[in-house]
Amino acid sequence: MSDQPAACRIHVEALAPAFQPQAEHWAQRLDLPLQVDDGEFALQVGEQGLQLQQLGPDAPGPVRVDFVEGGAAHRRLYGGGSGQMIAKAVGVAQGVRPRVLDATAGLGKDAFVLASLGCEMSLIERQPLIGALLEDGLARGAEDFDVAPIVARMRLLKGNSIEVMRNWQGEPPQVIYLDPMFPHREKTALVKKEMRLFRPLVGDDLDAPALLAAALALATHRVVVKRPRKAPCIEGPKPSHGLEGKSSRYDIYPKKALKA
């Protein structure tokens, strides 16, 4: 997602007095006020951790990163394991668990699935607010007995995804996974809550061609791009093939075979 958020009025607030020190910590880190008139978003600190709440009468509920309960837990337990399409797309197979960089990590849902299957994951989320939610979710996941071994395989990096990839330090990832936010207009009214929240806040990934180019230059084995099923490919080299589901597809750009 873009690291240049739209002009939104955002403040940090504690949901109870006990969380005021944490609210002040996040406000200082993110250079956000603790109070603002006519705010559009609130980054809230409470018993369930850090959450982002859009304000206003028709706003959806808060968004937080939760790897312990809810959808992440259900998918971890009943999601289909290595038979999931995302697993096949990145090359998970018998004896093969590639090192993966998720360069558009968002709320970390796809990275968590791959980490739960045994992949060593690096994550970049270049939008600071979303990165804060992800950092908080990883910290809370590390305190859970069942989830801690999974989040231990998830390393969160800071910075602009393109710049981090261009200036990569150390052993490069075998696979780079991209799920960029595009100026794609959903026809259905049932757009996910996260997307309704993020689009006005962070905008679209208008530099997706440069994102793909940087990924292709860094990955040693393949690049995988998640797209809405009927959306066009990213401008640039064409994928060699793809995997298609009901609502999305994975465009695959191979460089060399993954082997056990």
Side-chain angles (χ1 to χ4, degrees):
M1 297 178 186
S2 171
D3 54 353
Q4 297 297 326
C8 297
R9 292 184 296 278
I10 308 165
H11 69 280
V12 183
E13 66 179 17
L15 295 179
F19 301 106
Q20 187 63 30
Q22 291 172 265
E24 293 174 359
H25 164 79
W26 283 112
Q28 184 176 15
R29 270 192 58 181
L30 297 169
D31 194 23
L32 292 173
L34 287 165
Q35 191 171 356
V36 65
D37 294 329
D38 300 321
E40 295 175 72
F41 294 89
L43 187 66
Q44 301 171 330
V45 188
E47 286 186 4
Q48 294 180 292
L50 201 64
Q51 63 185 32
L52 189 60
Q53 174 67 65
Q54 188 173 2
L55 306 176
D58 299 320
V63 170
R64 70 177 68 87
V65 174
D66 188 353
F67 295 125
V68 178
E69 298 179 352
H74 186 273
R75 192 169 179 186
R76 172 171 59 88
L77 296 171
Y78 310 110
S82 58
Q84 297 174 78
M85 200 179 341
I86 185 174
K88 294 177 180 177
V90 302
V92 170
Q94 186 172 2
V96 180
R97 294 297 187 270
R99 295 186 314 279
V100 182
L101 167 64
D102 183 345
T104 52
L107 296 176
K109 293 179 179 180
D110 288 340
F112 182 75
V113 169
L114 294 173
S116 71
L117 297 175
C119 295
E120 292 293 330
M121 300 296 303
S122 299
L123 294 77
I124 309 172
E125 175 45 58
R126 57 182 175 174
Q127 211 292 325
L129 278 175
I130 312 306
L133 295 177
L134 184 52
E135 180 181 332
D136 178 72
L138 288 168
R140 284 183 286 108
E143 297 174 352
D144 181 84
F145 179 80
D146 294 320
V147 173
I150 299 173
V151 299
R153 290 191 286 270
M154 300 170 68
R155 177 176 65 125
L156 180 60
L157 307 175
K158 293 182 172 65
N160 180 288
S161 307
I162 295 173
E163 294 174 2
V164 172
M165 286 191 286
R166 287 175 175 170
N167 299 289
W168 188 264
Q169 301 294 318
E171 191 173 15
Q174 293 173 295
V175 178
I176 297 180
Y177 177 78
L178 304 174
D179 182 9
M181 182 96 77
F182 276 71
H184 173 71
R185 299 294 170 249
E186 300 282 356
K187 293 182 180 178
T188 175
L190 298 175
V191 180
K192 286 184 178 180
K193 178 174 67 175
E194 290 91 340
M195 293 302 101
R196 300 209 309 272
L197 184 73
F198 289 171
R199 197 173 288 280
L201 183 66
V202 304
D204 299 312
D205 281 318
L206 301 178
D207 56 358
L211 192 67
L212 175 60
L216 287 169
L218 176 62
T220 59
H221 287 69
R222 73 172 66 175
V223 173
V224 177
V225 181
K226 184 179 181 181
R227 300 289 289 120
R229 186 169 65 88
K230 295 183 178 180
C233 298
I234 295 181
E235 180 182 339
K238 299 302 178 189
S240 71
H241 62 289
L243 299 175
E244 191 170 298
K246 292 181 179 179
S247 61
S248 60
R249 73 169 194 272
Y250 296 90
D251 293 339
I252 299 171
Y253 302 76
K255 297 181 74 173
K256 65 180 180 181
L258 288 159
K259 296 180 181 179

